[in-house]
Amino acid sequence: MGETGDRRGLAGVLVVWGVSRVALLLLTFGVFRFPGPDDVTTDLSVIYQGWYEVLRQGAFPAGDVTWQYPPAAALAILSPAVLPFLDYATAFQVLALLADLAVLCLLLCTGRRPGRPLRGAWVWTAGAPLLGPVLYARYDVMVTAVAVAALLAGVRHPRAMGTLAGFGALLKVWPLLLLPGLRGAVGRRAWTAAAVTVAVLASLCALTVPGALSFVTAQRDRGLEVEAPAALVLHGARHFGWNGQVLLRYGSLEFAGPHTDVVGTASLALTAAAFGWLLLWRLRARRFRPDTAARAAFTAVLLFTVTSRVLSPQYLVWLIGLAAVCRCFPDDGMRLPAGLVLAAAPVTALEFPVYFAHVVASDRLGVGLLLLRNGLLVAACVTACRTLWRSTVPAAPRRRRPDRTARATAVDQPS
């Protein structure tokens, strides 16, 4: 593509980003009402602002079971303080918009390099707003900005990548999954930087602020959320006489009743199996390219997402961001799984918040939406695993059978 084409492509991304984000802000600020019985932005003024008031006093909200986040999450919750002239919810949404813009800028800078396409910027520009107001009503877009910066630092700056991944892990754990795709000295430098960052910051928080590590217990005690793929077993069981119920626990709606612990344990076993596959891949992988780290991160987070006991709508923000990074590289290997994730985004907006009451009731519409959304994510996970394996693990050599002529010659040789 020539210079004129590059300019047109850049202009197109910026125009679409601007128009879509203005529309999203109008929905977020309540100028227009997003379909559905619930306003997803109320979490900002109720839950987030409640945490904000506690954190301002110099303590973590350890007694609040809805607080399930690592200590650096406090920075995201406290961030609206930098805009004191705005109310809390508005300030948070403005900062979320800036994090969204930061992701776009990072992807554009990468896409403008010689030999790099703008596909990644397009994936983020078009895909993220498909989730609706959730994008600006949770702090996951801020975590995604850190993760995208880490991946784009990549093998050129492994210590920067490790530091950002470690900081991201203290925001929401999953950015540690950015590192398995690195190898050799680059991998050692990145893992060391991540470990040092986590150890220093976590220790500092634990020693200075009460309740910094309370999230560990809260995550351990969580049950099976109604939106998780494994929960489809119980959604189906309700149609065959299962007498369980849905309860609000740990800030989300979870199944409670007979055999829920069995399904939850099976989900944990699948997570363990997923990480076992990831370890096997890492031991077998031999061909590493510049895009391998991004492919491995995308695949690892997909594995974590589809086997988790919780699959909240904002998890799609992570996946769209990682899919966008994968699409920044010339190779189209992750085109299909990235497309499946994008297809899952509007279905996610339909299941929450538009038809969430139907999901909770386990009726045909609710279960159908969950089947479609979770099916798309599982398909994305399977295809991403297949692509990652084929692109990095050498094929086993086939045994060559001796041809018939050679065998006949050997038999006819005089003894």
Side-chain angles (χ1 to χ4, degrees), residues 242-265:
W242 181 68
N243 60 352
Q245 55 185 327
V246 176
L247 301 176
L248 179 61
R249 298 190 302 195
Y250 297 98
S252 63
L253 291 170
E254 300 178 352
F255 275 117
H259 311 301
T260 53
D261 55 339
V262 175
V263 180
T265 301

Side-chain angles (χ1 to χ4, degrees), residues 2-323:
E3 185 176 349
T4 301
D6 287 340
R7 289 178 178 176
R8 288 178 179 174
L10 176 61
V13 171
L14 293 175
V15 168
V16 173
W17 187 90
V19 171
S20 62
R21 270 45 177 193
V22 168
L24 195 56
L25 285 175
L26 292 175
L27 291 170
T28 304
F29 290 146
V31 178
F32 298 108
R33 190 174 185 278
F34 195 76
D38 299 319
D39 180 6
V40 300
T41 63
T42 55
D43 280 5
L44 295 178
S45 55
V46 178
I47 298 177
Y48 277 32
Q49 190 164 1
W51 293 339
Y52 173 81
E53 298 300 335
V54 175
L55 290 166
R56 287 179 62 191
Q57 305 304 316
F60 283 90
D64 186 347
V65 295
T66 61
W67 177 261
Q68 303 154 11
Y69 306 109
L75 298 176
I77 303 303
L78 290 169
S79 62
V82 303
L83 301 175
F85 48 87
L86 297 175
D87 65 83
Y88 182 86
T90 302
F92 187 94
Q93 290 159 358
V94 169
L95 293 172
L97 172 67
L98 293 177
D100 177 8
L101 180 60
V103 174
L104 175 69
C105 291
L106 289 166
L107 295 169
L108 284 175
C109 288
T110 302
R112 296 279 289 172
R113 293 175 185 170
R116 294 289 185 91
L118 284 174
R119 289 191 301 256
W122 275 114
V123 167
W124 178 255
T125 298
L130 295 177
L131 294 170
V134 166
L135 181 64
Y136 294 158
R138 305 290 188 271
Y139 79 90
D140 295 81
V141 66
M142 302 174 184
V143 186
T144 301
V146 175
V148 168
L151 273 180
L152 293 179
V155 295
R156 291 185 176 183
H157 308 285
R159 289 191 178 90
M161 181 181 184
T163 300
L164 288 168
F167 177 66
L170 288 175
L171 284 169
K172 211 163 190 183
V173 180
W174 68 266
L176 275 182
L177 296 173
L178 305 178
L179 300 177
L182 301 174
R183 68 168 180 173
V186 170
R188 287 192 295 273
R189 286 195 290 268
W191 277 105
T192 300
V196 170
T197 301
V198 170
V200 171
L201 293 181
S203 299
L204 183 63
C205 290
L207 292 173
T208 58
V209 186
L213 302 180
S214 61
F215 76 99
V216 176
T217 303
Q219 286 293 337
R220 181 194 63 196
D221 295 338
R222 292 196 73 169
L224 191 65
E225 189 198 25
V226 295
E227 297 169 275
L232 282 166
V233 174
L234 299 179
H235 281 291
R238 294 178 94 179
H239 291 270
F240 294 95
W242 181 68
N243 60 352
Q245 55 185 327
V246 176
L247 301 176
L248 179 61
R249 298 190 302 195
Y250 297 98
S252 63
L253 291 170
E254 300 178 352
F255 275 117
H259 311 301
T260 53
D261 55 339
V262 175
V263 180
T265 301
S267 180
L268 288 173
L270 285 174
T271 300
F275 282 110
W277 181 91
L278 195 63
L279 177 61
L280 176 64
W281 164 78
R282 188 60 187 80
L283 294 173
R284 296 283 303 276
R286 294 292 181 270
R287 297 191 296 262
F288 286 78
R289 305 183 307 183
D291 62 347
T292 299
R295 289 185 175 198
F298 182 43
T299 303
V301 176
L302 273 168
L303 283 166
F304 166 81
T305 301
V306 301
T307 61
S308 175
R309 292 174 297 173
V310 179
L311 205 171
S312 298
Q314 58 267 27
Y315 289 16
L316 272 290
V317 179
W318 321 340
L319 295 173
I320 293 171
L322 297 179

